[in-house]
Structures are given as C-alpha cells and as structure tokens.
Amino acid sequence: EAQLVESGGGLVQPGGSLRLSCAASGFTFSTYWMSWVRQAPGKGLEWVANTKEDGSDKYYVDSVKGRFTISRDNAKNSLFLQMNSLRAEDTAIYYCARDSHGGIDSLGPGTQVIVSS
Amino acid sequence: DIVMTQSPLSLPVTLGQPASISCRSSQSLVHSDGSNHLDWFHQRPGQSPRRLIYKVSNRESGVPDRFSGSGSGTDFTLKISRVEAEDVGIYYCMQGTHWKTFGQGTKLEIK
C-alpha cells in the first residue's frame, strides 16, 4: 500500500519561499507520475503540478507557473515542491499524490502552508 | 482549461435511500487511449480525500459495491444505492484527461 508523508509546511510572509517534501514508501516510486494537490481553507481541491516518472516532464496549473517548481529524487523516494513569491491565496493544505489510471489514487495526510504577514 | 461542474452542491439524504451526483465537463474527457479519465473522491472532515472510482466506473479495492459510476464524454454520474452514515462528507469528481481538474464538490449529509 502506498504511503505518502508530507513535510515542510509552515507560516511564511507574502513574497517568501517554502520547500515542501514528500516521503514515499510501499511502492516503486520511480515508476509513477507524482502530483501536488492543494486545498485552501474551507474550499475544494486544486491540482497544482505533476512530474513524469524520471522528472523529465513537469506541468503546472496556471496560477503557480513561474513561482513553483516540482522535482523528485528517485534514489531517495522523495517528491518536492519549491514555492517562491508566495501569496496569501497560496494558503492551503498541500497534499502529495500518486498518479495512476489516468487520475490520482493516493494522497498523503497533507502539510499546512499559511502565507500571512 | 477544462471546467468540471458538479450538481447538486448540497445533497441531504435519508439513511437507506439512494443518492446521485452529476459531474459535467466543459470538454470531452475521451483520452487518446480511448478511455474517459474521470475519478470520484470522497473526503470526510479533517481527512485527506480517498479515491472511490477511476476511469468512470472502476471501484477501488475495498470500496463497497453500493457505489457505482457511469457516463462518457462530458456527462458523468456517481450513484450510491443505499446511503449509510459513513458516506457523509464531500464528493469530488476529477478529470485526468487534460492535466487535472476537480469539480467544486458535493456535500452529502444525512437528513
């Protein structure tokens, strides 16, 4: 069974940066596309970005293009999200997710990001 | 970008009665592989979402058979044959054909 555990969230000022990490276990990490999904307080789910198995292809939702970078380290079974130029509207729970069957089959418990002065 | 529209947004249901949620996409979800990449998720308060169904009608392991999915192209439906107390929460559809987009969510509550 896939296990995904996020870390790195916290309180950051507008314009600041954070780097989220996701530790994956229970499956062969290097054979799956991986995603980040977020959920603003009291709101619905929003896909943020994903990356191909080997990290060669990366895609982003328009609202984070140029500010967020997704990356992975297959040797360490880890997924990352570097978030720069953070805005209040980036405040959310960020979930690490595994892509499968054309969608997403597992999400971690999430890490909270709060952007506020 | 593909927009996913769910209805209703609020769904009060009596225990043991059926429930149905509609999900419509702004473009066809037929992928180049011939399938529709449409998932359904369930999220309980304070928990992360759990996928119930993938590619329209395939139940994940452990999902009760009272949950079923149908549809094709732009119109999709999640049905619960007999609602149980543990089914409360928010249901989301998500398309994975053109990147990924979620619907707004449907909140199911017990009358």
Side-chain angles (χ1 to χ4, degrees):
Chain A
E1 182 181 344
Q3 298 286 334
L4 302 167
V5 179
E6 305 88 344
S7 60
L11 174 64
V12 61
Q13 292 188 340
S17 298
L18 272 180
R19 188 187 193 220
L20 306 184
S21 299
C22 170
S25 60
F27 65 101
T28 306
F29 181 73
S30 61
T31 64
Y32 285 85
W33 284 69
M34 295 294 295
S35 284
W36 287 97
V37 172
R38 67 184 178 182
Q39 187 168 33
K43 301 298 184 182
L45 300 166
E46 180 182 41
W47 172 80
V48 174
N50 69 352
T51 179
K52 195 177 178 180
E53 295 95 331
D54 62 359
S56 59
D57 287 339
K58 304 173 184 183
Y59 300 95
Y60 302 89
V61 69
D62 285 349
S63 59
V64 308
K65 283 179 182 175
R67 300 188 301 123
F68 290 11
T69 302
I70 188 171
S71 62
R72 63 193 297 163
D73 183 340
N74 286 345
K76 296 183 178 180
N77 294 335
S78 295
L79 180 72
F80 305 100
L81 186 67
Q82 177 66 43
M83 304 186 296
N84 299 330
S85 303
L86 282 161
R87 306 166 180 168
E89 54 264 36
D90 296 318
T91 294
I93 297 173
Y94 284 74
Y95 299 103
C96 172
R98 187 177 78 171
D99 290 15
S100 177
H101 290 299
I104 286 173
D105 71 347
S106 298
L107 296 93
T111 186
Q112 176 80 58
V113 172
I114 300 173
V115 184
S116 175
S117 55
Chain B
D1 294 355
I2 294 183
V3 177
M4 305 298 290
T5 303
Q6 290 182 227
S7 62
L9 299 184
S10 178
L11 184 56
V13 184
T14 301
L15 286 173
Q17 293 300 302
S20 180
I21 301 171
S22 171
C23 177
R24 290 187 170 178
S25 60
S26 59
Q27 299 177 36
S28 172
L29 297 187
V30 178
H31 191 268
S32 57
D33 66 9
S35 64
N36 291 264
H37 292 186
L38 189 284
D39 292 351
W40 288 98
F41 292 84
H42 177 218
Q43 185 177 32
R44 295 190 177 101
Q47 296 185 11
S48 54
R50 172 199 179 195
R51 187 165 75 174
L52 300 174
I53 287 174
Y54 62 94
K55 288 188 177 180
V56 180
S57 59
N58 297 275
R59 277 190 304 275
E60 287 283 1
S61 175
V63 173
D65 60 7
R66 64 178 183 275
F67 289 92
S68 64
S70 63
S72 182
T74 61
D75 290 333
F76 303 90
T77 303
L78 175 70
K79 292 184 178 179
I80 309 173
S81 58
R82 294 174 303 280
V83 170
E84 297 188 5
E86 64 180 17
D87 299 337
V88 298
I90 301 177
Y91 290 82
Y92 296 93
C93 61
M94 186 202 80
Q95 68 83 16
T97 297
H98 308 285
W99 293 284
K100 293 172 175 47
T101 317
F102 290 89
Q104 321 97 298
T106 295
K107 186 174 184 179
L108 186 150
E109 61 179 20
I110 304 300
K111 278 185 186 175

